[in-house]
Amino acid sequence: MPSYRIIKAIVAAVLLHIGFAGYRLLPVLGDFHPIGFLLPMGELMLVFVLLSPGTSRKTTTAAALALLSFLVFFGVGEIFYRLIYMEHFSPIYDMQLIPNFFVMMLQRTGLPAVPIRIASVIITLAALLASAYALLILIRETSRIFLGSRKMKILVSALALLFILVAPPFSPSAQTLAALLHKPEAPALSAPPPVEEPTQEWNFAAIEDSSIHFVVVESYGAALFQKQEYIPLMSGVYADLQRLLDEHELAVKSGFVRSPAFGGRSWLADATILTGVQIENQKIYDARVADGERAWWLELMQRSGYTCYYVAPGTSQADAQWRYAYPFDVYLLQNDFQYEGPPISFGLTTDQYLLHEFAANYLQNDMKQFAFYLLVSAHTPFDRIPVYKEDWQFPLKGREYADGYVRYFENNWLHGNELAEGYIEGMSYSLTSTIHYLTDKVSGKKFMLIIGDHQPRIPVSGPNPGYPVIFHIIYSQEFHLAFPDSWTLSNALVPPTLPANYQDIPEMAAIPSLIEKIIR
């Protein structure tokens, strides 16, 4: 009969496996194999060998501590990415986002971003080393029982390497190495199409060189039509806004595209729209910036005589290398709007205030302007959504909201009791702010793209949500735009029926080439 020590060691080994491999049970869009949870983790087996009796104490302990720290970091990252983004975590490329996450969580405290970033690195390293050291003590005790003989150490080492080599998708080290070595294929739209010499007085004859507005709405995903309970809640919003468009003689085409991201990482979608390349992960995003590949849509706009504006209340800074890859003429970031009201969501300011300030200070009828707006009032966790007031001119720089013009919902970053209510309110607010901006603030002939960046995170999205997001192309009815037959579009704000197979939906990367084609 096995002794108490052996039973205790077996239980400890099983619990360690559950702790380190448990992330495999969480779904990943398009790549989910829960049976992999049963496969032993080769790296964890190597830690057992390194801490077994008879090994060099200092050298192997340091190696085991480093490997355990990596496994803890990888496991926590996988859990977070799978729960929020339904994607795999890449330690090499995604770890740089940790300081940004701390800044996002603590921005409402008013603390400066730089100290938060430094503290985030120190806290993360300290937490990793502390947890790895505690696990090291437990594993050392367990390894003494199982790995007392030299033959057993050799056998376990061989099995560990076998599991790493034979099942790399379930190996943290193999998965990390594969991400590091993988080189994406050159995209078809990596360079801008040539700017044709205008055959008449306009570069974009179909819209008579009118100003162009691209509005990216946070979390504006197909979940609004995938979850049946959302449809009646949004139907009134769409009906009211459709009437407003009709009153101002504005036509609209609506449809779906596949975003490169889910539940977050909006910058991947923003970059996709500007480059015409489906930027699906941080590695591709960073590589384009590092290589100085310029966004072709911006080059197209500037070569056609347009002044380009980056209107991003959720962005606190943009370094020179990023600005070279995304060469706007004017960058309006988080602290450039003189907002003095209560902080709202990720961008601090509100969508209505942001659009009002841009209209008041930058819109000009005698210029060809391209503006790229990133709206963030409807950002996760959908806990506070401002009220839209049609007649506001904001003489108090946003302090107007302090008088009860913000709706609060019982939601936070971990869970929520009013997620559906907060989400619907956020979508209604952002769409209302945007379309009233187009009808009330933008004068003359109009052309606007409204597009979601990604689906809302689980559980706001339903089961099997995929990557589809909603887009609208709104333009003056006097423009006669020819849309390709290959696109399935409705003639209203309500988009057409969502295809059962999401792969039938065009990629978001096709949007800029569609726009370029119809405005010629």
Side-chain angles (χ1 to χ4, degrees):
M1 187 173 180
S3 67
Y4 172 74
R5 289 183 67 235
I6 294 176
I7 295 175
K8 183 179 177 181
I10 292 173
V11 171
V14 171
L15 291 177
L16 284 166
H17 173 76
I18 293 173
F20 280 102
Y23 69 83
R24 298 173 182 171
L25 295 174
L26 298 175
V28 175
L29 286 173
D31 181 26
F32 182 41
H33 308 284
I35 193 68
F37 171 73
L38 300 176
L39 290 175
M41 184 175 286
E43 292 86 351
L44 185 58
M45 296 169 70
L46 289 177
V47 172
F48 272 83
V49 174
L50 289 170
L51 297 176
S52 61
T55 54
S56 174
R57 189 116 182 137
K58 290 184 178 180
T59 304
T60 57
T61 298
L65 186 63
L67 186 51
L68 275 174
S69 298
F70 166 72
L71 291 178
V72 171
F73 183 57
F74 184 90
V76 172
E78 277 282 328
I79 290 172
F80 180 85
Y81 263 59
R82 289 180 182 229
L83 285 175
I84 303 299
Y85 306 138
M86 299 190 79
E87 292 277 359
H88 287 295
F89 173 69
S90 174
I92 300 295
Y93 300 101
D94 295 330
M95 65 179 175
Q96 62 182 295
L97 304 180
I98 294 175
N100 296 335
F101 178 74
F102 274 75
V103 171
M104 180 176 67
M105 296 295 289
L106 297 174
Q107 64 179 341
R108 289 176 181 170
T109 64
L111 295 173
V114 173
I116 294 176
R117 294 178 191 278
I118 295 172
S120 71
V121 175
I122 296 172
I123 292 171
T124 301
L125 288 174
L128 282 176
L129 290 173
S131 57
Y133 187 75
L135 290 166
L136 185 146
I137 295 172
L138 173 62
I139 293 173
R140 173 168 281 146
E141 290 298 319
T142 306
S143 66
R144 289 175 181 173
I145 298 173
F146 292 130
L147 301 176
S149 68
R150 179 180 176 82
K151 289 183 179 180
M152 185 60 71
K153 292 178 189 177
I154 294 174
L155 175 62
V156 172
S157 299
L159 288 173
L161 294 174
L162 180 66
F163 283 121
I164 293 173
L165 295 173
V166 173
F170 305 104
S171 164
S173 57
Q175 190 173 321
T176 301
L177 183 61
L180 182 63
L181 297 177
H182 175 66
K183 293 184 178 180
E185 296 181 5
L189 289 174
S190 57
V195 177
E196 301 173 4
E197 290 295 327
T199 57
Q200 45 191 312
E201 58 182 305
W202 299 301
N203 285 94
F204 303 119
I207 62 170
E208 301 176 7
D209 279 1
S210 298
S211 290
I212 298 172
H213 305 268
F214 281 11
V215 182
V216 183
V217 177
E218 173 68 33
S219 299
Y220 188 40
L224 288 171
F225 295 91
Q226 291 169 321
K227 295 189 76 171
Q228 293 301 310
E229 60 265 38
Y230 292 164
I231 295 175
L233 297 176
M234 282 297 295
S235 60
V237 176
Y238 281 124
D240 290 343
L241 295 177
Q242 184 66 59
R243 280 193 292 271
L244 184 63
L245 294 179
D246 295 340
E247 290 170 5
H248 286 79
E249 299 182 340
L250 294 171
V252 58
K253 295 283 188 178
S254 302
F256 298 99
V257 287
R258 277 185 289 128
S259 172
F262 176 89
R265 298 181 298 169
S266 305
W267 56 92
L268 301 183
D270 304 337
T272 293
I273 296 167
L274 293 172
T275 62
V277 176
Q278 196 80 352
I279 299 179
E280 296 178 339
N281 56 55
Q282 194 66 34
K283 180 177 183 178
I284 301 174
Y285 182 89
D286 291 342
R288 290 188 62 90
V289 174
D291 294 343
E293 291 190 67
R294 292 199 160 197
W296 79 254
W297 179 262
L298 294 178
E299 290 199 326
L300 176 66
M301 289 290 97
Q302 290 167 338
R303 290 166 64 186
S304 302
Y306 281 72
T307 302
C308 299
Y309 299 82
Y310 182 64
V311 189
T315 303
S316 58
Q317 60 182 4
D319 61 30
Q321 191 176 40
W322 187 90
R323 293 184 185 219
Y324 182 84
Y326 298 93
F328 290 89
D329 298 294
V330 179
Y331 297 85
L332 300 172
L333 307 183
Q334 189 172 90
N335 296 321
D336 294 330
F337 301 101
Q338 291 77 50
Y339 179 74
E340 299 176 10
I344 301 292
S345 188
F346 183 45
L348 301 184
T349 182
T350 72
D351 295 346
Q352 184 183 1
Y353 177 88
L354 166 79
L355 296 170
H356 175 273
E357 288 297 295
F358 184 82
N361 296 294
Y362 294 96
L363 277 187
Q364 297 187 39
N365 294 333
D366 57 347
M367 284 181 64
K368 295 195 296 185
Q369 296 177 301
F370 167 69
F372 190 66
Y373 314 82
L374 306 180
L375 304 189
V376 290
S377 287
H379 197 283
T380 297
F382 313 114
D383 60 337
R384 55 183 73 185
I385 305 296
V387 174
Y388 181 80
K389 299 291 287 183
E390 188 172 348
D391 58 343
W392 271 3
Q393 300 300 315
F394 296 104
L396 301 180
K397 292 296 181 181
R399 295 195 302 276
E400 292 89 345
Y401 289 105
D403 295 328
Y405 292 102
V406 178
R407 293 195 62 190
Y408 293 88
F409 299 89
E410 293 183 25
N411 303 320
N412 57 47
W413 287 92
L414 298 178
H415 63 87
N417 295 321
E418 296 179 308
L419 287 172
E421 293 85 351
Y423 177 59
I424 294 298
E425 188 70 19
M427 294 301 97
S428 172
Y429 172 76
S430 291
L431 289 175
T432 299
S433 297
T434 301
I435 291 180
H436 271 278
Y437 169 70
L438 180 64
T439 58
D440 303 344
K441 304 290 187 182
V442 178
S443 59
K445 298 174 182 178
K446 311 174 195 291
F447 184 89
M448 174 180 281
L449 166 72
I450 302 174
I451 188 168
D453 51 5
H454 52 70
Q455 288 267 50
R457 66 180 177 88
I458 300 292
V460 180
S461 287
N464 304 314
Y467 293 89
V469 296
I470 305 166
F471 76 92
H472 313 285
I473 297 174
I474 304 174
Y475 54 95
S476 297
Q477 289 180 0
E478 60 194 278
F479 296 152
H480 300 288
L481 306 186
F483 288 83
D485 293 336
S486 57
W487 285 76
T488 301
L489 303 171
S490 69
N491 295 312
L493 277 176
V494 175
T497 302
L498 187 66
N501 184 359
Y502 299 153
Q503 294 303 310
D504 294 337
I505 300 172
E507 290 186 337
M508 181 180 282
I511 281 290
S513 60
L514 170 67
I515 300 294
E516 192 264 347
K517 182 178 295 184
I518 65 175
I519 64 178
R520 283 293 186 190

